[in-house]
Amino acid sequence: MEQLERLSSIARRRIIPANHYIFRDGDEAISFAAVNSGVVKLIKTTSEGERHVIGLVYAPEFLGHTFAETHKFSAAAATDVDICTFPRQAFNRLLLEYPDMQRWLFEFTVQELDVTREWTLMLGRKSSYERVASLLLIIARRTRNAGAQPVHENCAEFELPLTRSELADYLGLTLETVSRKVSQLKQQGLIELRSTRDVVVPNVELLAEAASMYEHRESAKAAKVAAFPA
Amino acid sequence: MEQLERLSSIARRRIIPANHYIFRDGDEAISFAAVNSGVVKLIKTTSEGERHVIGLVYAPEFLGHTFAETHKFSAAAATDVDICTFPRQAFNRLLLEYPDMQRWLFEFTVQELDVTREWTLMLGRKSSYERVASLLLIIARRTRNAGAQPVHENCAEFELPLTRSELADYLGLTLETVSRKVSQLKQQGLIELRSTRDVVVPNVELLAEAASMYEHRESAKAAKVAAFPA
DNA sequence: CGGGATATTGATGCCGTTCAAAAACAGTGG
DNA sequence: CCACTGTTTTTGAACGGCATCAATATCCCG
């Protein structure tokens, strides 16, 4: 349809090799990009100059800081990446012309907000073991969405797009702890390692349990939030 | 102007006493609400039935899960609250009519996403002491925005809208730890307590330092994110 | 003034960090 | 193909911060 034609007319396709930046914190914003294949890591540079992984974007997902003049974080290719970028100005003009598109993008952003809130919640509360399991689970699922594997299968195999150090950073742990917990998951049979980066999950259900189970600090710990019926 | 008239024509003003719910997780969405005065706490109910504080909304900020059919979290009045709610259907119709409004709301949501990401980053990395300091600092600043105090003053006073237990929950700590850290901040002169809920910050700058300082795990610990120039 | 919720403070233990060293891996050049 | 070097990962031992359990103190409101 018309919108898609207009969209593709301003799109610029780029192939970006692994470990190269797509854009950097503070760059003039490119507005928006669609990831066709590969995995992108989002990196935030704090005021002290440290770099921290704050997110992953899998194909066929989207990427970008709509409306902002400059990017608030960096994006780098975790694997070789194939993306379409849309120049900010032209893209914003399109959005004004097609409210449907803007609305769609809006809903997408709201969803992203939900996911981020969920992640925050989990970082604040789960043990290191559960966190590592959770991240592996999420990556497993998103890899499946990206194609390749049948979704209904109860097993999965994927390549980790991050180093142990980056995993640790993403999870708010140290790389040693991540390594230990991965080993622990392996020895409990919840995962297998073909190589350090190549993970096999024989039973996704079991991993999902490990991701949130463990009494640790359950219902007993939930803050009693005083509030009456509305 | 026209838009504002239309807006206020569908608005419903409500006064909600402290500790009453405004809406609950799963309720049919009210779409959007503007907080005129008071503080609202956002509460997420996890699958296991625990309630966790995930955010605060100060006047004159906004609140809502635009476009969603049902709310993904609950909102409760932390203090007496005066809000205007906008019924979802009517509000969404207005958004379609006035793209400017939708865009404005969009930008607002994007900003919220940024704030949430920032918060996540901080929860993953800061010590309990820094976290408590950070939260007090944020509350101090937002209270000032809410009116009352002059912004340029380097001191602040405010009432905590949350119990220690809720503070702890928000920060991913226990209420005992929060209590200890508050005491510690007090004995270091960074804050004073008129009562347990009434906080005075004699020097906001100093508190800000406490909120992010402390060698703990600084630059040395930042994951080395391998990435070449774009 | 009394009683229930909220907050402070103390003692102990565990999980994750820290420091350190060895092992696995990847790339390079002979 | 293999020795050589730098990087990533694993594993070990000791320390420390935060959680946990428990007791006391303070606040709030009828």
Side-chain angles (χ1 to χ4, degrees):
Chain A
M1 59 176 61
E2 194 189 347
Q3 299 181 25
L4 288 181
E5 272 175 35
R6 296 284 302 278
L7 243 188
S8 59
S9 77
I10 65 169
R12 285 196 348 192
R13 189 158 180 190
R14 300 170 61 191
I15 306 289
I16 299 181
N19 288 325
H20 284 241
Y21 276 106
I22 297 168
F23 56 78
R24 289 164 182 276
D25 196 347
D27 278 4
E28 210 254 320
I30 58 171
S31 181
F32 203 64
V35 180
N36 298 321
S37 75
V39 185
V40 173
K41 52 190 175 190
L42 307 182
I43 299 160
K44 178 96 188 174
T45 306
T46 68
S47 43
E48 289 93 8
E50 311 143 29
R51 287 182 293 179
H52 295 289
V53 176
I54 59 169
L56 289 177
V57 183
Y58 274 76
E61 298 170 353
F62 306 93
L63 169 65
H65 218 260
T66 324
F67 294 135
E69 300 282 328
T70 61
H71 289 293
K72 295 279 178 28
F73 49 80
S74 306
T79 65
D80 289 351
V81 165
D82 173 6
I83 62 172
C84 284
T85 64
F86 304 96
R88 193 169 66 84
Q89 302 257 348
F91 188 71
N92 282 358
R93 268 197 300 275
L94 261 192
L95 284 188
L96 285 180
E97 256 181 84
Y98 299 100
D100 286 6
M101 245 179 74
Q102 181 173 323
R103 167 149 174 168
W104 176 86
L105 194 55
F106 191 175
E107 293 188 36
F108 170 75
T109 304
V110 169
Q111 215 172 326
E112 211 173 1
L113 182 57
D114 279 338
V115 171
T116 306
R117 283 221 174 95
E118 205 83 43
W119 188 254
T120 307
L121 205 53
M122 108 110 178
L123 279 190
R125 274 154 261 283
K126 289 189 182 177
S127 69
S128 63
Y129 184 78
E130 295 168 302
R131 289 191 215 183
V132 172
S134 298
L135 184 50
L136 291 180
L137 186 66
I138 287 174
I139 293 179
R141 286 180 172 152
R142 292 172 84 181
T143 305
R144 289 210 257 182
N145 288 344
Q149 313 269 340
V151 178
H152 25 284
E153 271 298 351
N154 199 19
C155 79
E157 172 173 3
F158 57 91
E159 181 122 349
L160 279 175
L162 301 176
T163 68
R164 293 287 187 275
S165 170
E166 288 171 322
L167 290 175
D169 186 56
Y170 195 14
L171 291 167
L173 299 170
T174 60
L175 90 181
E176 294 96 326
T177 298
V178 169
S179 179
R180 274 184 250 274
K181 296 309 166 184
V182 167
S183 300
Q184 206 170 319
L185 284 165
K186 183 173 68 177
Q187 110 184 22
Q188 294 196 213
L190 292 177
I191 62 171
E192 294 160 25
L193 294 181
R194 288 205 196 296
S195 73
T196 47
R197 294 290 197 92
D198 198 348
V199 180
V200 177
V201 182
N203 188 333
V204 176
E205 299 279 336
L206 286 180
L207 186 61
E209 272 179 44
S212 66
M213 77 172 179
Y214 275 167
E215 72 297 352
H216 274 318
R217 27 163 157 169
E218 290 310 326
S219 28
K221 299 292 303 307
K224 278 183 294 182
V225 176
F228 308 161
Chain B
M1 60 174 60
E2 194 189 345
Q3 299 181 27
L4 286 181
E5 273 176 33
R6 295 285 302 276
L7 243 187
S8 59
S9 77
I10 66 169
R12 285 198 346 194
R13 189 157 180 190
R14 301 170 60 191
I15 307 287
I16 299 181
N19 288 327
H20 284 242
Y21 275 106
I22 297 168
F23 57 78
R24 288 164 182 276
D25 194 346
D27 278 2
E28 212 252 321
I30 58 170
S31 183
F32 203 63
V35 180
N36 298 322
S37 76
V39 185
V40 173
K41 51 189 175 190
L42 307 183
I43 299 162
K44 177 98 189 173
T45 306
T46 68
S47 43
E48 290 93 9
E50 311 142 29
R51 288 182 292 180
H52 296 290
V53 176
I54 59 169
L56 289 179
V57 184
Y58 274 75
E61 298 170 354
F62 305 94
L63 170 64
H65 218 258
T66 323
F67 293 136
E69 300 282 327
T70 62
H71 288 294
K72 295 279 178 28
F73 49 80
S74 307
T79 66
D80 289 351
V81 165
D82 172 6
I83 63 171
C84 285
T85 63
F86 304 96
R88 193 170 65 85
Q89 302 257 348
F91 188 70
N92 283 359
R93 268 196 300 275
L94 262 193
L95 284 189
L96 285 179
E97 257 180 82
Y98 299 101
D100 285 6
M101 246 179 73
Q102 182 172 323
R103 167 149 175 167
W104 175 86
L105 194 54
F106 191 175
E107 293 187 36
F108 171 75
T109 304
V110 169
Q111 215 172 326
E112 211 174 359
L113 182 57
D114 279 338
V115 171
T116 305
R117 284 219 174 96
E118 205 83 44
W119 188 255
T120 306
L121 205 54
M122 109 110 177
L123 279 190
R125 273 154 262 284
K126 289 189 181 177
S127 70
S128 62
Y129 184 78
E130 293 168 305
R131 290 191 215 183
V132 172
S134 299
L135 184 51
L136 292 180
L137 186 66
I138 287 174
I139 292 178
R141 286 182 174 152
R142 292 172 85 181
T143 305
R144 288 210 257 183
N145 288 343
Q149 313 269 340
V151 177
H152 25 284
E153 271 298 350
N154 201 20
C155 79
E157 172 172 4
F158 57 90
E159 180 122 351
L160 279 175
L162 301 177
T163 67
R164 294 286 187 274
S165 170
E166 289 170 323
L167 290 175
D169 186 57
Y170 196 14
L171 292 168
L173 299 169
T174 60
L175 90 182
E176 293 96 327
T177 299
V178 169
S179 180
R180 272 183 250 275
K181 296 309 165 184
V182 168
S183 300
Q184 205 170 320
L185 283 165
K186 182 173 68 176
Q187 111 183 22
Q188 295 195 211
L190 292 178
I191 62 172
E192 294 159 25
L193 294 181
R194 290 207 195 293
S195 73
T196 46
R197 295 290 198 92
D198 199 348
V199 181
V200 177
V201 182
N203 188 333
V204 176
E205 298 280 337
L206 286 179
L207 186 61
E209 271 179 43
S212 65
M213 77 174 181
Y214 274 168
E215 72 296 352
H216 275 318
R217 27 163 158 168
E218 290 310 326
S219 30
K221 299 294 303 309
K224 279 183 294 182
V225 177
F228 308 162

